[in-house]
Coordinates of all heavy atoms in Angstrom, one line a residue:
Y1 N 206.3 183.0 39.6 CA 205.9 184.2 38.8 C 206.4 183.9 37.4 O 207.2 183.1 37.0 CB 206.8 185.4 39.4 CG 206.3 186.0 40.6 CD1 206.3 185.3 41.8 CD2 205.6 187.3 40.6 CE1 205.8 185.9 43.1 CE2 205.2 187.9 41.8 CZ 205.3 187.2 43.0 OH 204.8 187.8 44.2
R2 N 205.8 184.8 36.5 CA 206.3 184.7 35.2 C 206.4 186.1 34.4 O 205.7 187.1 35.0 CB 205.4 183.9 34.3 CG 204.2 184.4 34.0 CD 203.2 183.4 33.3 NE 201.8 183.9 33.0 CZ 200.8 183.1 32.4 NH1 201.1 181.9 32.1 NH2 199.7 183.8 32.2
Q3 N 207.4 186.3 33.5 CA 207.3 187.6 32.9 C 207.7 187.3 31.3 O 208.7 186.6 31.0 CB 208.6 188.3 33.5 CG 208.8 189.8 32.9 CD 209.8 190.6 33.8 OE1 210.6 190.1 34.5 NE2 209.6 191.9 33.6
A4 N 206.8 187.9 30.7 CA 207.0 187.9 29.3 C 207.5 189.1 28.8 O 207.5 190.2 29.4 CB 205.5 187.8 28.6
P5 N 208.0 189.2 27.5 CA 208.8 190.4 26.9 C 207.8 191.5 27.0 O 206.6 191.4 26.4 CB 209.3 189.9 25.7 CG 209.4 188.5 25.7 CD 208.4 188.0 26.7
G6 N 208.2 192.6 27.6 CA 207.4 193.8 27.5 C 206.3 193.9 28.5 O 205.5 194.8 28.7
K7 N 206.2 192.9 29.4 CA 205.1 192.7 30.5 C 205.7 192.8 31.8 O 207.0 192.5 32.0 CB 204.4 191.4 30.3 CG 203.7 191.3 28.9 CD 202.7 192.2 28.8 CE 201.8 192.0 27.3 NZ 200.8 192.9 27.3
Q8 N 205.0 193.1 32.8 CA 205.4 193.0 34.2 C 205.4 191.7 34.7 O 204.7 190.8 34.1 CB 204.6 194.0 35.0 CG 204.7 195.5 34.8 CD 204.0 196.2 36.0 OE1 202.9 195.8 36.4 NE2 204.5 197.4 36.2
R9 N 206.3 191.4 35.6 CA 206.2 190.2 36.3 C 205.0 189.9 37.1 O 204.6 190.9 37.7 CB 207.5 190.1 37.2 CG 207.7 188.6 37.9 CD 208.9 188.6 38.7 NE 210.1 188.9 38.0 CZ 211.4 189.0 38.5 NH1 211.4 188.8 39.8 NH2 212.3 189.4 37.8
E10 N 204.3 188.8 36.8 CA 203.1 188.5 37.5 C 203.3 187.3 38.4 O 203.7 186.3 38.0 CB 202.0 188.5 36.5 CG 202.1 187.4 35.5 CD 200.8 187.1 34.6 OE1 199.7 187.7 35.0 OE2 200.9 186.4 33.7
L11 N 202.4 187.3 39.4 CA 202.3 186.1 40.0 C 201.4 185.1 39.4 O 200.3 185.3 39.0 CB 201.6 186.3 41.4 CG 201.3 185.1 42.4 CD1 202.6 184.4 42.9 CD2 200.4 185.6 43.6
V12 N 201.9 183.9 39.3 CA 201.1 182.7 38.6 C 200.5 181.9 39.7 O 199.3 181.7 39.5 CB 202.2 181.9 37.8 CG1 201.3 180.7 37.1 CG2 202.8 182.7 36.6
A13 N 201.2 181.5 40.6 CA 200.7 180.7 41.7 C 201.5 180.6 42.9 O 202.8 180.9 42.8 CB 200.5 179.2 41.2
S14 N 200.9 180.5 44.0 CA 201.8 180.5 45.4 C 201.1 179.5 46.2 O 199.9 179.2 46.2 CB 201.8 181.9 45.9 OG 200.5 182.3 46.3
R15 N 201.9 179.1 47.2 CA 201.5 178.2 48.1 C 202.1 178.5 49.5 O 203.4 178.5 49.5 CB 201.6 176.6 47.8 CG 201.1 175.6 48.6 CD 201.3 174.3 48.1 NE 200.9 173.2 49.1 CZ 199.6 172.7 49.1 NH1 198.8 173.1 48.1 NH2 199.4 171.7 49.9
T16 N 201.4 178.5 50.4 CA 202.0 178.7 51.9 C 202.4 177.5 52.5 O 202.0 176.4 52.1 CB 201.1 179.6 52.7 OG1 199.8 178.7 53.1 CG2 200.5 180.8 52.0
S17 N 203.0 177.7 53.6 CA 203.4 176.5 54.5 C 202.1 175.9 55.0 O 202.1 174.6 55.2 CB 204.2 176.9 55.6 OG 205.5 177.5 55.2
G18 N 201.1 176.6 55.1 CA 199.8 176.0 55.7 C 198.9 175.3 54.5 O 197.9 174.8 54.8
G19 N 199.4 175.5 53.3 CA 198.7 174.8 52.3 C 197.8 175.6 51.5 O 197.1 175.3 50.5
S20 N 197.8 176.9 51.8 CA 196.8 177.8 51.0 C 197.4 178.1 49.6 O 198.8 178.2 49.6 CB 196.6 179.1 51.8 OG 195.9 178.9 53.0
T21 N 196.5 178.2 48.6 CA 197.1 178.5 47.2 C 196.4 179.5 46.7 O 195.3 180.0 47.1 CB 196.8 177.2 46.4 OG1 195.4 176.9 46.4 CG2 197.6 175.9 46.9
N22 N 197.0 180.2 45.8 CA 196.5 181.4 45.1 C 197.1 181.2 43.7 O 198.3 180.9 43.4 CB 197.1 182.7 45.7 CG 196.3 183.9 45.0 OD1 195.1 183.8 44.8 ND2 197.1 184.8 44.9
Y23 N 196.1 181.6 42.8 CA 196.3 181.4 41.3 C 195.9 182.6 40.6 O 195.0 183.3 40.9 CB 195.7 180.3 40.7 CG 196.1 178.9 41.2 CD1 195.5 178.3 42.2 CD2 197.1 178.2 40.6 CE1 195.9 177.1 42.7 CE2 197.6 177.0 41.0 CZ 196.8 176.4 42.1 OH 197.3 175.3 42.6
A24 N 196.7 183.0 39.5 CA 196.3 184.1 38.6 C 194.9 183.6 37.9 O 195.0 182.4 37.6 CB 197.4 184.3 37.7
D25 N 194.1 184.4 37.6 CA 193.0 184.1 37.0 C 193.1 183.5 35.6 O 192.4 182.6 35.2 CB 192.0 185.4 36.7 CG 191.4 185.9 38.1 OD1 191.3 185.1 39.0 OD2 191.0 187.1 38.0
S26 N 194.2 183.9 34.9 CA 194.6 183.3 33.6 C 194.9 181.8 33.7 O 194.9 181.2 32.7 CB 195.6 184.2 33.0 OG 196.8 184.1 33.8
V27 N 195.3 181.3 34.8 CA 195.9 179.9 34.8 C 195.0 179.0 35.7 O 195.1 177.8 35.8 CB 197.2 179.9 35.4 CG1 198.1 180.8 34.5 CG2 197.3 180.2 36.9
K28 N 193.9 179.6 36.3 CA 193.0 178.7 37.2 C 192.4 177.7 36.3 O 191.9 177.9 35.2 CB 192.0 179.7 37.8 CG 192.4 180.6 38.9 CD 191.2 181.4 39.6 CE 191.9 182.1 40.7 NZ 190.8 183.0 41.3
G29 N 192.5 176.4 36.8 CA 191.8 175.3 36.3 C 192.9 174.7 35.4 O 192.7 173.5 34.9
R30 N 194.0 175.2 35.1 CA 195.0 174.6 34.2 C 196.4 174.4 34.9 O 197.0 173.4 34.7 CB 195.3 175.6 33.1 CG 194.1 175.8 32.3 CD 194.5 176.6 30.9 NE 195.0 177.9 31.1 CZ 196.3 178.3 30.8 NH1 197.0 177.5 30.2 NH2 196.6 179.6 31.1
F31 N 196.7 175.2 35.9 CA 198.0 175.0 36.5 C 197.6 174.7 38.0 O 196.6 175.1 38.7 CB 198.7 176.4 36.6 CG 199.3 176.9 35.3 CD1 198.9 176.3 34.1 CD2 200.2 177.9 35.3 CE1 199.5 176.8 32.9 CE2 200.7 178.3 34.0 CZ 200.3 177.7 32.9
T32 N 198.6 173.9 38.5 CA 198.6 173.5 39.9 C 199.9 173.6 40.6 O 200.8 173.1 40.2 CB 198.0 171.9 39.9 OG1 196.7 171.8 39.3 CG2 197.9 171.6 41.5
I33 N 199.8 174.3 41.7 CA 201.2 174.4 42.5 C 201.2 173.3 43.7 O 200.0 173.1 44.2 CB 201.3 175.8 43.0 CG1 202.7 175.8 43.6 CG2 200.2 176.2 44.0 CD1 203.1 177.3 44.1
S34 N 202.3 172.6 43.9 CA 202.2 171.7 44.9 C 203.6 171.8 45.7 O 204.7 172.4 45.0 CB 202.0 170.3 44.5 OG 203.0 169.9 43.5
R35 N 203.7 171.3 46.8 CA 205.0 171.4 47.6 C 205.3 170.1 48.1 O 204.3 169.3 48.7 CB 205.0 172.4 48.7 CG 205.0 173.9 48.3 CD 204.6 174.8 49.3 NE 205.5 174.8 50.5 CZ 205.7 175.7 51.3 NH1 204.9 176.9 51.4 NH2 206.6 175.8 52.3
D36 N 206.6 169.7 48.1 CA 207.0 168.5 48.8 C 208.0 169.0 49.9 O 209.2 169.2 49.6 CB 207.7 167.5 47.9 CG 208.1 166.3 48.5 OD1 208.2 166.2 49.9 OD2 208.2 165.2 47.8
N37 N 207.5 169.2 51.1 CA 208.3 169.8 52.1 C 209.6 168.9 52.6 O 210.6 169.4 52.9 CB 207.5 170.1 53.3 CG 206.5 171.4 53.1 OD1 206.8 172.1 52.3 ND2 205.3 171.2 53.9
A38 N 209.4 167.7 52.4 CA 210.6 166.8 52.7 C 211.7 167.0 51.8 O 212.8 166.8 52.1 CB 210.0 165.2 52.7
K39 N 211.3 167.5 50.5 CA 212.3 167.6 49.5 C 212.6 169.0 49.3 O 213.5 169.3 48.4 CB 212.0 166.8 48.1 CG 211.8 165.4 48.2 CD 211.3 164.8 46.8 CE 211.2 163.3 46.9 NZ 210.8 162.9 45.6
N40 N 212.0 169.9 50.0 CA 212.2 171.3 49.9 C 211.9 171.7 48.5 O 212.8 172.5 47.8 CB 213.4 171.8 50.4 CG 213.6 171.6 51.9 OD1 212.6 171.8 52.7 ND2 214.7 171.3 52.4
T41 N 211.0 171.2 47.8 CA 210.8 171.4 46.4 C 209.3 171.8 46.2 O 208.3 171.4 46.8 CB 210.9 170.1 45.5 OG1 212.4 169.6 45.8 CG2 210.7 170.3 44.1
V42 N 209.1 172.8 45.2 CA 207.8 173.2 44.8 C 207.6 172.9 43.5 O 208.6 173.0 42.6 CB 207.6 174.7 45.1 CG1 208.6 175.6 44.3 CG2 206.1 175.1 44.7
Y43 N 206.5 172.4 43.0 CA 206.2 172.2 41.5 C 205.1 173.0 41.0 O 204.2 173.6 41.7 CB 205.9 170.6 41.4 CG 206.8 169.8 42.0 CD1 206.6 169.3 43.3 CD2 207.8 169.2 41.3 CE1 207.4 168.3 44.0 CE2 208.6 168.3 42.0 CZ 208.5 167.9 43.2 OH 209.3 167.0 43.8

């Protein structure tokens, strides 16, 4: 998520355990979310 001053917190990108992803329209095509489950890390 992200929050700019004076703005509501908004979802930027999410990824489920099953690999489904969701992106805010404003970042589609520019941002990519990924997960490394072995490292318990999301990027």
Side-chain angles (χ1 to χ4, degrees):
Y1 284 71
R2 68 184 181 187
Q3 187 167 24
K7 303 291 185 179
Q8 288 190 329
R9 188 179 301 177
E10 65 171 344
L11 175 67
V12 178
S14 64
R15 185 178 176 91
T16 68
S17 296
S20 298
T21 58
N22 186 44
Y23 296 92
D25 289 340
S26 59
V27 307
K28 286 182 179 177
R30 299 188 297 119
F31 291 9
T32 303
I33 187 171
S34 61
R35 289 169 62 163
D36 186 337
N37 290 329
K39 297 181 178 180
N40 293 322
T41 300
V42 63
Y43 305 93

